[in-house]
């Protein structure tokens, strides 16, 4: 999911290009805006973290671009492509090193397991929207 800081900075195209050039197939993609309720639900696993309120506010503040991506070893390879959560620690050339503004407004989200990728894909897309 491309996050609001990256969409508002006009980096959706550049990031999507990096994703495709890294060998991912875009199975589904759209623009959307989360309500605070839905952003809270998406990040429910972080409910007890001190930054949860800030994260929900930020994630519902603007346009996001959720995608379903396909590739062998997709979860691990995508996390390598996006880089560390904190852009100051992200390896050079990664999406977050190039486009993230801060540890919270960090340009992009990637699922952390195949199981969560399925849950998050279902959160944003109905079966009807995939091809
Ligand atoms: P990710 O898997 O790399 O996205 O990182 P996490 O699952 O640990 O955190 C989820 C999201 O919460 C991150 O992508 C950031 O947007 C936000 N986040 C993580 N750590 C912090 C923090 O220390 N402060 C704030 N404000 N936001 C954070």
């Amino acid at each position: 999911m491309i996050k609001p800081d990256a969409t508002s900075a006009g980096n959706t195209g550049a990031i999507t290009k990096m994703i495709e050039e890294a060998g991912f197939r875009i199975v589904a993609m759209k623009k959307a805006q989360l309500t605070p309720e839905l952003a809270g639900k998406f990040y429910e696993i972080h409910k007890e973290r001190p930054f949860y309120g800030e994260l929900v506010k930020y994630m519902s503040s603007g346009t996001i671009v959720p995608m379903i991506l396909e590739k062998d070893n997709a979860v691990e390879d995508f996390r390598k492509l996006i880089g560390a959560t904190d852009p100051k620690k992200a390896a050079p050339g990664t999406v977050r090193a190039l486009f993230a503004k801060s540890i919270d407004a960090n340009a992009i989200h990637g699922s952390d397991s195949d199981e969560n990728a399925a849950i998050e894909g279902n959160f944003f897309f109905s079966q009807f929207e995939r091809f």
Side-chain angles (χ1 to χ4, degrees), residues 3 43 45-46 49 51 54-55 58-59 79 82-86 96 102-106 108-110 112:
K3 295 186 177 183
Y43 278 112
I45 52 158
H46 294 310
R49 309 270 286 270
F51 56 83
E54 226 177 284
L55 179 61
Y58 160 65
M59 287 304 297
R79 294 191 74 85
I82 72 179
T85 309
D86 182 352
R96 283 168 167 164
S102 60
I103 193 167
D104 54 332
N106 60 359
I108 195 157
H109 164 82
D112 62 6

Side-chain angles (χ1 to χ4, degrees), residues 4 6 11 17 21 31 34-35 38-39 42 55 60 62 68 76 90-91 103 105-106 113 116 120 122 126 128 130-131:
N11 291 324
K17 187 166 187 268
E21 283 178 352
K31 282 193 161 189
L34 291 168
T35 60
L38 282 173
F42 186 83
L55 179 61
S60 55
I68 295 178
E76 199 183 327
I103 193 167
N106 60 359
S113 65
N116 281 337
E120 293 175 355
N122 287 330
S126 71
F128 187 65
R130 301 173 194 185
F131 59 91

